[in-house]
Coordinates of all heavy atoms in Angstrom, one line a residue:
M1 N 18.8 -43.2 -77.8 CA 19.5 -42.2 -77.1 C 19.9 -41.0 -78.0 O 19.7 -39.9 -77.7 CB 20.8 -42.8 -76.5 CG 21.5 -41.9 -75.6 SD 20.7 -41.5 -74.0 CE 21.2 -43.0 -73.1
R2 N 20.3 -41.3 -79.2 CA 20.6 -40.2 -80.2 C 19.4 -39.5 -80.6 O 19.4 -38.3 -80.8 CB 21.3 -40.8 -81.4 CG 22.7 -41.3 -81.2 CD 23.3 -41.8 -82.5 NE 24.5 -42.4 -82.3 CZ 25.2 -43.1 -83.2 NH1 24.7 -43.3 -84.4 NH2 26.3 -43.6 -82.9
I3 N 18.3 -40.2 -80.7 CA 17.0 -39.6 -81.1 C 16.6 -38.6 -80.1 O 16.1 -37.5 -80.4 CB 16.0 -40.6 -81.4 CG1 16.3 -41.6 -82.5 CG2 14.6 -40.0 -81.7 CD1 16.5 -40.9 -83.8
A4 N 16.8 -38.9 -78.8 CA 16.4 -38.0 -77.7 C 17.2 -36.7 -77.8 O 16.6 -35.6 -77.6 CB 16.5 -38.6 -76.4
R5 N 18.5 -36.8 -78.1 CA 19.3 -35.6 -78.2 C 18.9 -34.7 -79.4 O 18.8 -33.5 -79.3 CB 20.8 -35.9 -78.3 CG 21.4 -36.2 -77.0 CD 22.8 -36.5 -77.1 NE 22.9 -38.0 -77.1 CZ 23.9 -38.7 -77.5 NH1 24.9 -38.2 -78.1 NH2 23.8 -40.0 -77.4
L6 N 18.6 -35.4 -80.5 CA 18.1 -34.7 -81.7 C 16.8 -34.1 -81.5 O 16.5 -33.0 -82.0 CB 18.1 -35.6 -82.9 CG 19.5 -36.1 -83.4 CD1 19.3 -37.1 -84.5 CD2 20.3 -34.9 -83.8
I7 N 15.9 -34.7 -80.8 CA 14.6 -34.1 -80.5 C 14.8 -32.9 -79.6 O 14.1 -31.9 -79.8 CB 13.7 -35.2 -79.8 CG1 13.2 -36.2 -80.8 CG2 12.4 -34.5 -79.2 CD1 12.5 -37.4 -80.3
G8 N 15.7 -32.9 -78.6 CA 15.9 -31.8 -77.8 C 16.4 -30.6 -78.6 O 16.0 -29.5 -78.4
I9 N 17.4 -30.9 -79.5 CA 17.9 -29.8 -80.4 C 16.8 -29.3 -81.3 O 16.7 -28.1 -81.6 CB 19.1 -30.3 -81.2 CG1 20.3 -30.5 -80.2 CG2 19.6 -29.3 -82.2 CD1 21.5 -31.1 -80.8
A10 N 16.0 -30.2 -81.8 CA 14.9 -29.8 -82.7 C 13.9 -28.9 -82.0 O 13.4 -27.9 -82.6 CB 14.2 -31.0 -83.3
V11 N 13.6 -29.2 -80.8 CA 12.7 -28.3 -80.0 C 13.4 -27.0 -79.7 O 12.7 -25.9 -79.8 CB 12.3 -29.0 -78.6 CG1 11.6 -28.1 -77.7 CG2 11.4 -30.2 -78.9
G12 N 14.6 -27.0 -79.4 CA 15.4 -25.8 -79.2 C 15.4 -25.0 -80.5 O 15.3 -23.7 -80.4
L13 N 15.6 -25.6 -81.6 CA 15.6 -24.9 -82.9 C 14.3 -24.3 -83.2 O 14.2 -23.2 -83.7 CB 16.0 -25.9 -84.0 CG 16.0 -25.3 -85.4 CD1 17.0 -24.1 -85.6 CD2 16.3 -26.3 -86.5
A14 N 13.2 -25.0 -82.9 CA 11.8 -24.4 -83.1 C 11.6 -23.2 -82.2 O 11.1 -22.2 -82.7 CB 10.8 -25.5 -82.8
I15 N 12.1 -23.2 -81.0 CA 12.0 -22.1 -80.1 C 12.9 -20.9 -80.7 O 12.5 -19.8 -80.7 CB 12.3 -22.4 -78.7 CG1 11.3 -23.4 -78.1 CG2 12.5 -21.2 -77.8 CD1 11.7 -24.0 -76.8
G16 N 14.1 -21.3 -81.1 CA 15.0 -20.3 -81.7 C 14.4 -19.7 -83.0 O 14.5 -18.5 -83.2
L17 N 13.7 -20.5 -83.8 CA 13.1 -19.9 -85.0 C 11.9 -19.0 -84.6 O 11.7 -18.0 -85.3 CB 12.6 -21.0 -85.9 CG 13.6 -21.8 -86.7 CD1 13.0 -23.0 -87.4 CD2 14.2 -20.8 -87.8
Y18 N 11.2 -19.3 -83.6 CA 10.0 -18.5 -83.2 C 10.5 -17.1 -82.7 O 9.9 -16.1 -83.0 CB 9.2 -19.2 -82.1 CG 8.0 -18.5 -81.7 CD1 6.9 -18.4 -82.6 CD2 7.9 -17.8 -80.5 CE1 5.7 -17.8 -82.2 CE2 6.8 -17.1 -80.2 CZ 5.7 -17.1 -81.0 OH 4.6 -16.4 -80.6
F19 N 11.6 -17.1 -81.9 CA 12.1 -15.9 -81.3 C 13.3 -15.4 -82.1 O 14.0 -14.5 -81.6 CB 12.5 -16.1 -79.9 CG 11.3 -16.4 -79.0 CD1 11.1 -17.7 -78.4 CD2 10.4 -15.4 -78.6 CE1 10.0 -17.9 -77.6 CE2 9.3 -15.6 -77.8 CZ 9.1 -16.9 -77.3
G20 N 13.6 -15.8 -83.3 CA 14.7 -15.5 -84.0 C 14.9 -14.0 -84.3 O 16.0 -13.4 -84.2
K21 N 13.8 -13.4 -84.7 CA 13.9 -11.9 -85.1 C 14.2 -11.1 -83.8 O 15.0 -10.2 -83.9 CB 12.6 -11.4 -85.7 CG 12.5 -11.8 -87.1 CD 11.3 -11.1 -87.8 CE 11.3 -11.5 -89.3 NZ 10.3 -10.8 -90.0
H22 N 13.6 -11.5 -82.7 CA 13.9 -10.8 -81.5 C 15.3 -11.0 -81.0 O 16.0 -10.0 -80.6 CB 12.9 -11.2 -80.4 CG 13.0 -10.5 -79.1 ND1 12.7 -9.2 -79.0 CD2 13.5 -10.9 -77.9 CE1 13.0 -8.8 -77.7 NE2 13.4 -9.8 -77.0
I23 N 15.8 -12.2 -81.1 CA 17.2 -12.5 -80.7 C 18.2 -11.8 -81.6 O 19.1 -11.2 -81.2 CB 17.4 -14.0 -80.8 CG1 16.6 -14.7 -79.7 CG2 18.9 -14.3 -80.6 CD1 16.6 -16.2 -79.8
F24 N 17.9 -11.7 -82.9 CA 18.7 -11.0 -83.9 C 18.8 -9.5 -83.6 O 19.8 -8.9 -83.6 CB 18.3 -11.3 -85.3 CG 19.2 -10.6 -86.3 CD1 20.5 -11.2 -86.5 CD2 18.9 -9.5 -87.0 CE1 21.3 -10.6 -87.4 CE2 19.7 -8.9 -87.9 CZ 21.0 -9.4 -88.1
S25 N 17.6 -9.0 -83.2 CA 17.6 -7.5 -82.9 C 18.4 -7.2 -81.7 O 19.0 -6.2 -81.6 CB 16.1 -7.0 -82.8 OG 15.5 -7.6 -81.6
I26 N 18.4 -8.1 -80.7 CA 19.2 -7.9 -79.5 C 20.7 -8.0 -79.8 O 21.5 -7.2 -79.3 CB 18.8 -9.0 -78.4 CG1 17.4 -8.7 -77.9 CG2 19.8 -9.0 -77.3 CD1 16.8 -9.7 -77.0
L27 N 21.0 -9.0 -80.7 CA 22.4 -9.2 -81.0 C 23.0 -8.0 -81.9 O 24.1 -7.7 -81.8 CB 22.6 -10.5 -81.8 CG 22.5 -11.8 -80.9 CD1 22.6 -13.0 -81.8 CD2 23.5 -11.8 -79.8
A28 N 22.1 -7.4 -82.7 CA 22.5 -6.4 -83.7 C 22.5 -5.0 -83.0 O 23.1 -4.1 -83.6 CB 21.6 -6.4 -84.9
Q29 N 21.9 -4.9 -81.8 CA 21.7 -3.6 -81.2 C 23.1 -2.9 -80.9 O 23.2 -1.7 -81.2 CB 20.9 -3.7 -79.9 CG 20.5 -2.4 -79.3 CD 19.6 -1.6 -80.2 OE1 18.8 -2.2 -80.9 NE2 19.7 -0.3 -80.1
P30 N 24.1 -3.6 -80.4 CA 25.4 -2.9 -80.2 C 26.0 -2.4 -81.5 O 26.6 -1.3 -81.5 CB 26.3 -3.9 -79.5 CG 25.4 -4.9 -78.9 CD 24.2 -4.9 -79.8
L31 N 25.9 -3.1 -82.6 CA 26.4 -2.6 -83.8 C 25.7 -1.4 -84.3 O 26.3 -0.4 -84.8 CB 26.3 -3.7 -84.9 CG 26.7 -3.4 -86.3 CD1 28.2 -3.0 -86.4 CD2 26.3 -4.5 -87.3
L32 N 24.4 -1.4 -84.2 CA 23.6 -0.2 -84.6 C 23.9 1.0 -83.8 O 24.0 2.1 -84.3 CB 22.1 -0.6 -84.6 CG 21.6 -1.7 -85.5 CD1 20.1 -2.0 -85.3 CD2 21.9 -1.3 -87.0
V33 N 24.1 0.8 -82.5 CA 24.5 1.9 -81.6 C 25.8 2.5 -82.0 O 26.1 3.7 -82.1 CB 24.4 1.5 -80.1 CG1 25.1 2.5 -79.2 CG2 23.0 1.2 -79.7
A34 N 26.8 1.6 -82.3 CA 28.1 2.0 -82.7 C 28.1 2.7 -84.0 O 28.8 3.7 -84.2 CB 29.1 0.8 -82.8
L35 N 27.3 2.3 -85.0 CA 27.2 2.9 -86.3 C 26.6 4.3 -86.1 O 27.0 5.3 -86.7 CB 26.3 2.1 -87.2 CG 26.9 0.9 -87.8 CD1 25.9 0.1 -88.6 CD2 28.1 1.3 -88.7
H36 N 25.6 4.4 -85.2 CA 24.9 5.7 -85.0 C 25.9 6.7 -84.3 O 26.0 7.9 -84.6 CB 23.7 5.6 -84.1 CG 23.0 6.8 -83.9 ND1 22.3 7.5 -84.9 CD2 22.8 7.5 -82.7 CE1 21.8 8.6 -84.4 NE2 22.0 8.6 -83.1
A37 N 26.7 6.2 -83.3 CA 27.7 7.0 -82.6 C 28.8 7.5 -83.5 O 29.3 8.6 -83.3 CB 28.2 6.2 -81.4
S38 N 29.1 6.7 -84.5 CA 30.2 7.1 -85.4 C 29.7 8.0 -86.6 O 30.5 8.5 -87.4 CB 30.9 5.9 -86.0 OG 30.0 5.2 -86.9
G39 N 28.4 8.3 -86.6 CA 27.8 9.2 -87.6 C 27.4 8.5 -88.9 O 27.1 9.2 -89.9
L40 N 27.5 7.2 -88.9 CA 27.0 6.5 -90.1 C 25.6 6.1 -90.0 O 24.9 6.2 -88.9 CB 27.9 5.2 -90.2 CG 29.4 5.4 -90.4 CD1 30.1 4.1 -90.4 CD2 29.7 6.1 -91.7
D41 N 25.0 5.7 -91.1 CA 23.6 5.3 -91.2 C 23.4 4.0 -90.4 O 24.0 3.0 -90.8 CB 23.2 5.2 -92.6 CG 21.7 4.9 -92.8 OD1 20.9 5.2 -91.9 OD2 21.3 4.3 -93.8
P42 N 22.7 4.0 -89.3 CA 22.5 2.7 -88.6 C 21.5 1.8 -89.2 O 20.4 1.6 -88.7 CB 22.0 3.2 -87.2 CG 21.3 4.5 -87.5 CD 22.0 5.1 -88.7
Q43 N 21.9 1.2 -90.3 CA 21.1 0.3 -91.0 C 22.0 -0.9 -91.5 O 23.1 -0.7 -91.9 CB 20.4 0.9 -92.2 CG 19.4 0.1 -92.9 CD 18.6 0.9 -93.9 OE1 18.9 2.1 -94.1 NE2 17.6 0.3 -94.5
L44 N 21.4 -2.1 -91.4 CA 22.1 -3.3 -91.9 C 21.8 -3.6 -93.3 O 20.6 -3.5 -93.7 CB 21.8 -4.5 -91.0 CG 22.2 -4.4 -89.5 CD1 21.7 -5.6 -88.8 CD2 23.7 -4.2 -89.4
Y45 N 22.8 -3.9 -94.1 CA 22.5 -4.2 -95.5 C 22.9 -5.7 -95.8 O 23.9 -6.2 -95.2 CB 23.4 -3.3 -96.4 CG 23.0 -1.9 -96.3 CD1 23.7 -1.0 -95.5 CD2 21.9 -1.4 -97.0 CE1 23.3 0.3 -95.4 CE2 21.5 -0.1 -97.0 CZ 22.2 0.8 -96.1 OH 21.9 2.1 -96.0
V46 N 22.3 -6.3 -96.8 CA 22.6 -7.6 -97.2 C 23.2 -7.5 -98.6 O 22.7 -6.7 -99.4 CB 21.4 -8.6 -97.2 CG1 21.0 -8.8 -95.8 CG2 20.3 -8.1 -98.0
S47 N 24.3 -8.3 -98.9 CA 24.9 -8.2 -100.2 C 24.5 -9.2 -101.2 O 24.8 -9.1 -102.4 CB 26.4 -8.3 -100.0 OG 26.8 -9.5 -99.4
S48 N 23.8 -10.3 -100.7 CA 23.2 -11.3 -101.6 C 21.8 -11.7 -101.2 O 21.4 -11.4 -100.1 CB 24.2 -12.5 -101.7 OG 24.2 -13.2 -100.5
L49 N 21.1 -12.3 -102.1 CA 19.7 -12.6 -101.8 C 19.5 -13.6 -100.6 O 18.7 -13.3 -99.7 CB 19.1 -13.2 -103.1 CG 17.6 -13.5 -103.0 CD1 16.8 -12.2 -102.8 CD2 17.1 -14.1 -104.3
P50 N 20.3 -14.7 -100.5 CA 20.0 -15.6 -99.4 C 20.7 -15.2 -98.1 O 20.6 -15.9 -97.1 CB 20.5 -16.9 -99.9 CG 21.6 -16.6 -100.9 CD 21.1 -15.3 -101.5
E51 N 21.5 -14.1 -98.1 CA 22.3 -13.8 -96.9 C 21.4 -13.5 -95.7 O 21.7 -14.0 -94.6 CB 23.2 -12.6 -97.2 CG 24.1 -12.3 -96.1 CD 25.0 -11.1 -96.4 OE1 24.8 -10.5 -97.5 OE2 25.9 -10.8 -95.6
A52 N 20.3 -12.8 -95.9 CA 19.5 -12.5 -94.7 C 18.8 -13.7 -94.2 O 18.7 -13.9 -92.9 CB 18.4 -11.5 -95.1
F53 N 18.4 -14.6 -95.0 CA 17.7 -15.9 -94.6 C 18.8 -16.8 -93.9 O 18.4 -17.3 -92.8 CB 17.1 -16.6 -95.8 CG 16.6 -18.0 -95.4 CD1 15.4 -18.1 -94.7 CD2 17.3 -19.1 -95.8 CE1 14.9 -19.3 -94.4 CE2 16.8 -20.3 -95.5 CZ 15.6 -20.5 -94.8
I54 N 20.0 -16.9 -94.4 CA 21.0 -17.7 -93.8 C 21.4 -17.2 -92.4 O 21.6 -17.9 -91.5 CB 22.2 -17.9 -94.8 CG1 21.7 -18.8 -95.9 CG2 23.3 -18.6 -94.1 CD1 22.8 -18.9 -97.0
T55 N 21.5 -15.9 -92.4 CA 21.9 -15.2 -91.1 C 20.8 -15.5 -90.0 O 21.1 -15.8 -88.9 CB 22.1 -13.7 -91.3 OG1 23.1 -13.5 -92.2 CG2 22.5 -13.0 -90.0
Y56 N 19.5 -15.3 -90.4 CA 18.4 -15.6 -89.5 C 18.4 -17.0 -89.1 O 18.2 -17.4 -87.9 CB 17.1 -15.2 -90.3 CG 15.9 -15.5 -89.5 CD1 15.5 -14.8 -88.4 CD2 15.0 -16.5 -89.9 CE1 14.4 -15.1 -87.7 CE2 13.8 -16.8 -89.3 CZ 13.5 -16.1 -88.1 OH 12.4 -16.3 -87.4
L57 N 18.7 -18.0 -90.0 CA 18.7 -19.4 -89.7 C 19.8 -19.7 -88.8 O 19.7 -20.5 -87.9 CB 18.7 -20.2 -91.0 CG 18.4 -21.7 -90.9 CD1 17.0 -21.9 -90.4 CD2 18.7 -22.3 -92.3
C58 N 21.0 -19.2 -89.0 CA 22.2 -19.4 -88.1 C 21.9 -18.9 -86.7 O 22.2 -19.6 -85.7 CB 23.4 -18.8 -88.7 SG 24.1 -19.7 -90.1
V59 N 21.3 -17.7 -86.6 CA 21.0 -17.2 -85.3 C 20.0 -18.1 -84.6 O 20.2 -18.4 -83.4 CB 20.5 -15.8 -85.4 CG1 19.8 -15.3 -84.1 CG2 21.6 -14.8 -85.8
A60 N 19.0 -18.6 -85.3 CA 18.0 -19.5 -84.7 C 18.7 -20.8 -84.3 O 18.3 -21.4 -83.3 CB 16.9 -19.7 -85.7
L61 N 19.6 -21.4 -85.2 CA 20.2 -22.6 -84.8 C 21.1 -22.5 -83.6 O 21.1 -23.3 -82.7 CB 21.1 -23.1 -86.0 CG 21.8 -24.4 -85.8 CD1 20.9 -25.5 -85.7 CD2 22.7 -24.6 -87.0
Y62 N 21.9 -21.4 -83.5 CA 22.8 -21.2 -82.3 C 21.9 -21.0 -81.1 O 22.2 -21.5 -80.0 CB 23.7 -20.1 -82.5 CG 24.8 -20.4 -83.5 CD1 25.2 -19.4 -84.4 CD2 25.4 -21.6 -83.6 CE1 26.2 -19.7 -85.4 CE2 26.4 -21.9 -84.5 CZ 26.8 -20.9 -85.4 OH 27.8 -21.2 -86.3
A63 N 20.8 -20.3 -81.2 CA 19.9 -20.1 -80.1 C 19.3 -21.4 -79.7 O 19.1 -21.7 -78.5 CB 18.9 -19.1 -80.4
G64 N 18.9 -22.2 -80.6 CA 18.3 -23.5 -80.3 C 19.3 -24.5 -79.7 O 18.9 -25.2 -78.7
I65 N 20.6 -24.5 -80.1 CA 21.6 -25.3 -79.4 C 21.8 -24.8 -78.0 O 21.9 -25.6 -77.1 CB 22.9 -25.3 -80.2 CG1 22.6 -26.1 -81.5 CG2 24.0 -25.9 -79.5 CD1 23.8 -26.0 -82.5
F66 N 21.8 -23.5 -77.8 CA 22.0 -22.9 -76.5 C 20.8 -23.3 -75.6 O 21.0 -23.6 -74.4 CB 22.2 -21.4 -76.6 CG 22.3 -20.7 -75.3 CD1 23.6 -20.8 -74.6 CD2 21.3 -20.0 -74.7 CE1 23.7 -20.2 -73.4 CE2 21.5 -19.4 -73.5 CZ 22.7 -19.5 -72.8
I67 N 19.6 -23.2 -76.1 CA 18.4 -23.5 -75.3 C 18.4 -25.0 -75.0 O 18.0 -25.4 -73.9 CB 17.2 -23.1 -76.1 CG1 17.1 -21.6 -76.2 CG2 15.9 -23.6 -75.5 CD1 16.0 -21.0 -77.1
A68 N 18.8 -25.8 -75.9 CA 18.8 -27.3 -75.7 C 20.0 -27.8 -75.0 O 20.0 -29.0 -74.7 CB 18.6 -28.0 -77.1
S69 N 21.0 -27.0 -74.7 CA 22.2 -27.5 -74.1 C 22.0 -28.2 -72.8 O 22.7 -29.2 -72.6 CB 23.3 -26.4 -74.0 OG 22.8 -25.4 -73.2
P70 N 21.2 -27.8 -71.9 CA 21.0 -28.6 -70.7 C 20.4 -30.0 -70.9 O 20.9 -30.9 -70.3 CB 19.9 -27.7 -69.8 CG 20.1 -26.4 -70.4 CD 20.4 -26.5 -71.8
W71 N 19.6 -30.1 -71.9 CA 19.0 -31.4 -72.3 C 20.1 -32.3 -72.9 O 20.2 -33.5 -72.5 CB 17.8 -31.2 -73.2 CG 17.3 -32.5 -73.8 CD1 17.5 -33.0 -75.0 CD2 16.6 -33.5 -73.1 NE1 16.9 -34.2 -75.1 CE2 16.3 -34.6 -74.0 CE3 16.1 -33.6 -71.8 CZ2 15.6 -35.7 -73.6 CZ3 15.4 -34.8 -71.4 CH2 15.1 -35.8 -72.3
V72 N 20.9 -31.7 -73.8 CA 22.0 -32.5 -74.4 C 23.0 -32.9 -73.4 O 23.5 -34.1 -73.3 CB 22.6 -31.7 -75.5 CG1 23.8 -32.4 -76.1 CG2 21.6 -31.4 -76.6
F73 N 23.4 -32.0 -72.4 CA 24.3 -32.4 -71.4 C 23.8 -33.4 -70.5 O 24.5 -34.3 -70.0 CB 24.8 -31.1 -70.6 CG 25.7 -30.2 -71.4 CD1 25.5 -28.8 -71.2 CD2 26.6 -30.7 -72.2 CE1 26.4 -28.0 -71.9 CE2 27.4 -29.8 -72.9 CZ 27.3 -28.5 -72.8
Y74 N 22.5 -33.4 -70.2 CA 21.9 -34.4 -69.4 C 21.9 -35.8 -70.1 O 22.2 -36.8 -69.5 CB 20.4 -34.0 -69.0 CG 19.6 -35.2 -68.4 CD1 19.9 -35.5 -67.1 CD2 18.7 -35.9 -69.1 CE1 19.2 -36.5 -66.5 CE2 18.0 -36.9 -68.5 CZ 18.3 -37.3 -67.2 OH 17.6 -38.3 -66.6
Q75 N 21.6 -35.8 -71.4 CA 21.7 -37.0 -72.1 C 23.1 -37.6 -72.2 O 23.3 -38.8 -72.0 CB 21.2 -36.8 -73.6 CG 19.7 -36.5 -73.6 CD 18.9 -37.7 -73.2 OE1 19.2 -38.8 -73.5 NE2 17.9 -37.4 -72.4
L76 N 24.1 -36.7 -72.4 CA 25.5 -37.1 -72.4 C 25.9 -37.7 -71.0 O 26.6 -38.7 -70.9 CB 26.4 -36.0 -72.8 CG 26.4 -35.6 -74.2 CD1 27.2 -34.3 -74.5 CD2 26.9 -36.7 -75.1
W77 N 25.5 -37.0 -69.9 CA 25.8 -37.5 -68.6 C 25.1 -38.8 -68.3 O 25.7 -39.7 -67.7 CB 25.4 -36.5 -67.5 CG 25.5 -37.0 -66.1 CD1 24.5 -37.3 -65.3 CD2 26.7 -37.3 -65.5 NE1 25.0 -37.8 -64.1 CE2 26.4 -37.8 -64.2 CE3 28.1 -37.3 -65.9 CZ2 27.4 -38.3 -63.3 CZ3 29.0 -37.8 -65.0 CH2 28.7 -38.2 -63.7
S78 N 23.9 -39.0 -68.8 CA 23.2 -40.3 -68.6 C 24.0 -41.4 -69.3 O 24.0 -42.5 -68.8 CB 21.8 -40.2 -69.1 OG 21.0 -39.3 -68.4
F79 N 24.6 -41.1 -70.4 CA 25.4 -42.1 -71.1 C 26.7 -42.4 -70.4 O 27.0 -43.6 -70.3 CB 25.6 -41.6 -72.6 CG 26.5 -42.5 -73.4 CD1 26.0 -43.7 -73.9 CD2 27.8 -42.2 -73.6 CE1 26.8 -44.6 -74.6 CE2 28.6 -43.0 -74.3 CZ 28.1 -44.2 -74.8
V80 N 27.3 -41.4 -69.9 CA 28.6 -41.6 -69.3 C 28.5 -42.2 -67.9 O 29.3 -43.0 -67.4 CB 29.4 -40.3 -69.3 CG1 30.7 -40.4 -68.4 CG2 29.8 -39.8 -70.7
A81 N 27.5 -41.7 -67.2 CA 27.3 -42.1 -65.8 C 27.1 -43.6 -65.6 O 27.4 -44.2 -64.5 CB 26.1 -41.3 -65.1
T82 N 26.5 -44.3 -66.6 CA 26.3 -45.7 -66.4 C 27.6 -46.5 -66.3 O 27.6 -47.6 -65.7 CB 25.4 -46.3 -67.5 OG1 26.1 -46.0 -68.8 CG2 24.1 -45.6 -67.5
G83 N 28.7 -46.0 -66.8 CA 30.0 -46.7 -66.8 C 30.9 -46.3 -65.7 O 32.0 -46.7 -65.6
L84 N 30.4 -45.4 -64.8 CA 31.3 -44.9 -63.7 C 30.9 -45.6 -62.4 O 29.8 -45.9 -62.1 CB 31.2 -43.4 -63.6 CG 31.6 -42.6 -64.8 CD1 31.3 -41.1 -64.5 CD2 33.1 -42.8 -65.1
Y85 N 31.9 -45.8 -61.5 CA 31.7 -46.2 -60.2 C 31.2 -45.0 -59.4 O 31.3 -43.8 -59.8 CB 33.0 -46.7 -59.6 CG 33.5 -48.0 -60.2 CD1 34.6 -48.0 -60.9 CD2 32.7 -49.2 -60.1 CE1 35.1 -49.2 -61.5 CE2 33.2 -50.4 -60.7 CZ 34.4 -50.3 -61.4 OH 34.8 -51.5 -62.0
E86 N 30.7 -45.3 -58.2 CA 30.1 -44.2 -57.3 C 31.2 -43.2 -56.9 O 31.0 -42.0 -56.9 CB 29.5 -44.7 -56.1 CG 28.1 -45.1 -56.2 CD 27.2 -44.0 -56.7 OE1 27.3 -42.9 -56.2 OE2 26.4 -44.2 -57.6
R87 N 32.4 -43.7 -56.6 CA 33.5 -42.8 -56.3 C 33.9 -41.9 -57.4 O 34.3 -40.8 -57.2 CB 34.7 -43.6 -55.7 CG 35.4 -44.4 -56.7 CD 36.6 -45.1 -56.1 NE 37.5 -45.7 -57.0 CZ 37.3 -46.9 -57.6 NH1 36.3 -47.7 -57.2 NH2 38.1 -47.4 -58.5
E88 N 33.8 -42.4 -58.7 CA 34.1 -41.6 -59.8 C 33.0 -40.5 -60.1 O 33.3 -39.4 -60.5 CB 34.3 -42.5 -61.0 CG 35.5 -43.4 -60.9 CD 35.5 -44.4 -62.0 OE1 34.5 -44.8 -62.6 OE2 36.6 -44.9 -62.3
K89 N 31.8 -40.9 -59.8 CA 30.7 -39.9 -60.0 C 30.8 -38.8 -59.0 O 30.4 -37.7 -59.3 CB 29.3 -40.7 -59.8 CG 29.0 -41.6 -60.9 CD 27.6 -42.2 -60.7 CE 27.3 -43.3 -61.7 NZ 26.0 -43.9 -61.4
R90 N 31.3 -39.1 -57.8 CA 31.5 -38.1 -56.8 C 32.4 -37.0 -57.2 O 32.2 -35.8 -56.9 CB 32.0 -38.8 -55.5 CG 32.0 -37.9 -54.3 CD 32.5 -38.7 -53.1 NE 33.8 -39.2 -53.3 CZ 34.3 -40.4 -52.9 NH1 33.4 -41.1 -52.2 NH2 35.5 -40.8 -53.1
Y91 N 33.5 -37.3 -58.0 CA 34.4 -36.3 -58.4 C 33.7 -35.4 -59.5 O 34.0 -34.2 -59.6 CB 35.7 -36.9 -59.0 CG 36.5 -37.6 -58.0 CD1 36.8 -39.0 -58.1 CD2 37.0 -37.0 -56.9 CE1 37.5 -39.6 -57.2 CE2 37.7 -37.6 -55.9 CZ 38.0 -39.0 -56.1 OH 38.7 -39.6 -55.1
V92 N 32.9 -35.9 -60.3 CA 32.2 -35.2 -61.3 C 31.2 -34.2 -60.7 O 31.0 -33.1 -61.2 CB 31.5 -36.1 -62.4 CG1 30.7 -35.3 -63.4 CG2 32.6 -36.9 -63.1
R93 N 30.5 -34.6 -59.7 CA 29.5 -33.8 -59.0 C 30.1 -32.6 -58.4 O 29.4 -31.6 -58.2 CB 28.7 -34.6 -58.0 CG 27.8 -35.6 -58.7 CD 26.9 -36.3 -57.7 NE 26.2 -37.4 -58.4 CZ 26.1 -38.6 -57.9 NH1 26.6 -38.9 -56.7 NH2 25.4 -39.5 -58.6
L94 N 31.4 -32.7 -58.0 CA 32.0 -31.5 -57.4 C 32.2 -30.4 -58.4 O 32.1 -29.3 -58.1 CB 33.4 -31.9 -56.8 CG 33.4 -32.8 -55.6 CD1 34.8 -33.2 -55.2 CD2 32.7 -32.2 -54.4

């Protein structure tokens, strides 16, 4: 059961890594627009060597968790639903 959840997150992470640059550009767009509107140079700077890589990896990880969340919630529901009576399941479905 735990392996299935981890596999779902790993697949989501792989998708997040593949589309990471595109997701990051979408997330950074409001900041770049605000910098341009305030008359500043609309460019992002990194202050340390691994900062860009870690930021890219964090964006990919969060995107992967978001993408895999239906699978993880399904796995959690499968675990919890086995211990519930039908009348208890009815309340959750509402």
Side-chain angles (χ1 to χ4, degrees):
M1 189 69 82
R2 289 182 187 170
I3 298 298
R5 278 180 260 161
L6 291 177
I7 289 173
I9 291 175
V11 169
L13 177 63
I15 293 171
L17 284 172
Y18 184 75
F19 293 108
K21 284 190 177 184
H22 183 67
I23 294 169
F24 183 75
S25 67
I26 290 171
L27 292 175
Q29 189 63 33
L31 175 65
L32 295 175
V33 168
L35 285 173
H36 182 68
S38 66
L40 299 172
D41 185 24
Q43 189 172 3
L44 299 177
Y45 295 99
V46 293
S47 59
S48 67
L49 185 61
E51 185 178 4
F53 175 72
I54 291 172
T55 302
Y56 175 70
L57 193 63
C58 285
V59 167
L61 179 65
Y62 290 138
I65 291 171
F66 180 75
I67 291 168
S69 64
W71 173 254
V72 172
F73 289 142
Y74 171 74
Q75 291 295 318
L76 289 172
W77 172 247
S78 297
F79 177 74
V80 170
T82 57
L84 296 177
Y85 294 113
E86 275 303 314
R87 67 178 192 275
E88 295 169 339
K89 289 181 187 178
R90 189 177 58 217
Y91 294 123
V92 173
R93 290 185 187 134
L94 291 176

